[in-house]
Amino acid sequence: MLALVAGLDRAYRAAGGSGFVIERLGRFDQQVTSRFHRDGAPPGSIILLGYESTTVQSLFAAADIPRAARAGALSVDGFLASYNPMFPVGEARLRPFTTEFAVPNREPVVLVVNNSLYPADHQLRPSGVFHKATILAPDPAARRVINSIGITPDVAGAPTLDPSAVERFRFRDDLD
């Protein structure tokens, strides 16, 4: 995953961007279904979710909030205020703008998710998606480990991690 981050950084710089910095790292066992959400992060962020091999089956869903907002003639903020995706009515409004798939569980897999939420007038405007996980059959005897890396453009004021945190992440086997 760290090599993928380095590759994304190189590609962004080659395209004239500022590059990326790692703003957070995590490793957790998730066997609880979540609701649609955006991970807490700077407005311009990408998350990498590295799923380890497991016996626990799950679904991943991503909802295109900006498209849902445009379809309802609303701003993103207006859509979220009117149709909070944490509640059934908001989730129902997102259904036509949602992609869902089974996460391969017998092999490791990495998902790259645009977690951005720029204001409508921002120059970059690559608005991201909200995401959620559905656990089909939790298994208390098993683990469903997800390694998470948050990256953000390398601009003034961007949060950065101490290099020792990155090294610890590289070799750790404990959970948050």
Side-chain angles (χ1 to χ4, degrees):
M1 289 178 64
L2 292 169
L4 179 54
V5 168
L8 291 169
D9 177 66
R10 282 191 304 276
Y12 191 33
R13 289 178 193 281
S18 60
F20 290 110
V21 294
I22 296 174
E23 54 93 10
R24 66 190 155 81
L25 300 163
R27 186 167 192 270
F28 53 93
D29 180 355
Q30 181 194 4
Q31 290 198 51
V32 176
T33 293
S34 64
R35 300 301 237 166
F36 277 116
H37 65 283
R38 177 186 170 272
D39 284 10
S45 61
I46 296 172
I47 54 173
L48 289 82
L49 301 171
Y51 294 83
E52 295 183 8
S53 179
T54 182
T55 57
V56 179
Q57 295 180 341
S58 64
L59 303 175
F60 180 89
D64 190 334
I65 300 285
R67 278 188 54 219
R70 280 193 305 275
L74 296 167
S75 67
V76 169
D77 289 341
F79 180 89
L80 293 172
S82 299
Y83 305 107
N84 185 331
M86 297 292 280
F87 297 104
V89 69
E91 188 166 333
R93 290 289 288 225
L94 290 174
R95 199 162 286 120
F97 309 97
T98 298
T99 300
E100 182 176 69
F101 59 89
V103 177
N105 66 310
R106 298 292 184 172
E107 59 190 351
V109 64
V110 176
L111 300 179
V112 179
V113 180
N114 182 346
N115 192 55
S116 298
L117 191 61
Y118 286 110
D121 61 348
H122 194 277
Q123 64 181 357
L124 295 178
R125 292 182 42 175
S127 293
V129 298
F130 279 41
H131 64 281
K132 74 173 190 169
T134 302
I135 309 305
L136 300 176
D139 180 356
R143 293 191 342 167
R144 180 177 171 271
V145 176
I146 303 170
N147 298 281
S148 175
I149 300 177
I151 62 175
T152 191
D154 187 5
V155 296
T160 57
L161 292 180
D162 185 285
S164 65
V166 176
E167 281 307 302
R168 180 178 182 283
F169 179 79
R170 182 186 312 270
F171 298 107
R172 73 184 282 199
D173 61 1
D174 61 327
L175 300 172
D176 293 339

